[in-house]
Amino acid sequence: MTKLLSGKIAAVTGAASGIGLATTQALIKAGAQVVLIDKDERALNAACEGHSGSAIPLVADLLNVEQCKQLADNILALVSYVDIFHANAGIYIGGDLVDADLDHIDRMLQLNINVVFKNVRSIIPHMIERKTGDIIVTSSLAGHSAVLHEPVYSPSKWATHSFVQIMRRQLLPHGIRVGSVSPGPVSSALLADWPEENLRKAKENGSLIEPSEIADAVLYMLTRPRNVTIRDMVIIPSSFDL
Ligand code: NAD
């Protein structure tokens, strides 16, 4: 039986854990072949286990200037084309601005914004040449609302929204769709740096979403007819108090 994404090739950054891992699994289940990109080699190999042929690991630290620059070339050395690029890798380091470590600020802004711009920039010529492609960026509810009180993380995600809107318009004439997914708190390793009190409350209220919910949303966007683009899907638990 032909699956929804049979014959499609995807590349997902931050694919060894959380949302990226769940999305990868959903894409493979839907018939796609996936290049999993992550800096964590051990977790990456574990994520690929049992998916021989459908899951191809690519170890890359996207905060490394050279490895980031080489990303599209390295993906295209493994597969002959890319239909779907999911710019998902991101980090969260919480805390007040005045207390924040300057190096943490740099790393968070670098990965959550600059690397997204650079990764998308590097894959666009390939998609334009093929006159087709889908780009999904993992943003965040924090990029829509100041209620989460995150002076660095929120702006880093906020920036992805204008990027997605502009790229969506610019790439539409080339047959390329650009969208984003904006989750509320998701049960993943990323929340290890969340204030303990927030995490405890979120668990008590049932206001943590599973990574598979976000993966389902990504799959929904990707499997719309090609004349339909979804700009952004905000996914928050119904119990979340905004
Ligand atoms: P996670 O920590 O479970 O997974 C992130 C993955 O990215 C890890 O496998 C990690 O090794 C990889 N990674 C980190 N730095 C990297 C680098 N320099 N180069 C390559 N890979 C790197 O986190 P997650 O919750 O799955 O987060 C994925 C995305 O979702 C992020 O962009 C995050 O900001 C966003 N997001 C998360 C939440 C949440 O509550 N967990 C909510 C909204 C948005």
Side-chain angles (χ1 to χ4, degrees), residues 30 43 49 55 62 176:
E49 251 174 46
L62 299 172
I176 301 165

Side-chain angles (χ1 to χ4, degrees), residues 13-22 37-41 43-44 58-64 67 86-92 107 111-112 115-116 137-143 148 153 156-157 181-192 194 208-209 211 214 235:
T13 69
S17 170
I19 294 170
L21 178 60
I37 302 144
D38 208 286
K39 64 172 186 165
D40 185 339
E41 186 169 7
L44 199 53
L58 173 55
V59 181
D61 181 349
L62 299 172
L63 284 176
N64 176 294
Q67 291 178 34
H86 186 183
N88 168 73
I91 44 175
Y92 163 79
R107 285 199 298 124
L111 189 63
N112 294 5
V115 165
V116 172
V137 176
T138 304
S139 183
S140 172
L141 172 66
L148 297 173
Y153 182 74
S156 78
K157 292 297 183 179
V181 66
S182 294
V186 176
S187 182
S188 79
L190 181 126
L191 288 189
W194 223 27
L208 284 182
I209 318 167
I214 313 307
I235 299 158

Side-chain angles (χ1 to χ4, degrees), residues 86-102:
H86 186 183
N88 168 73
I91 44 175
Y92 163 79
I93 301 159
D96 287 341
L97 188 60
V98 282
D99 299 329
D101 181 304
L102 294 184

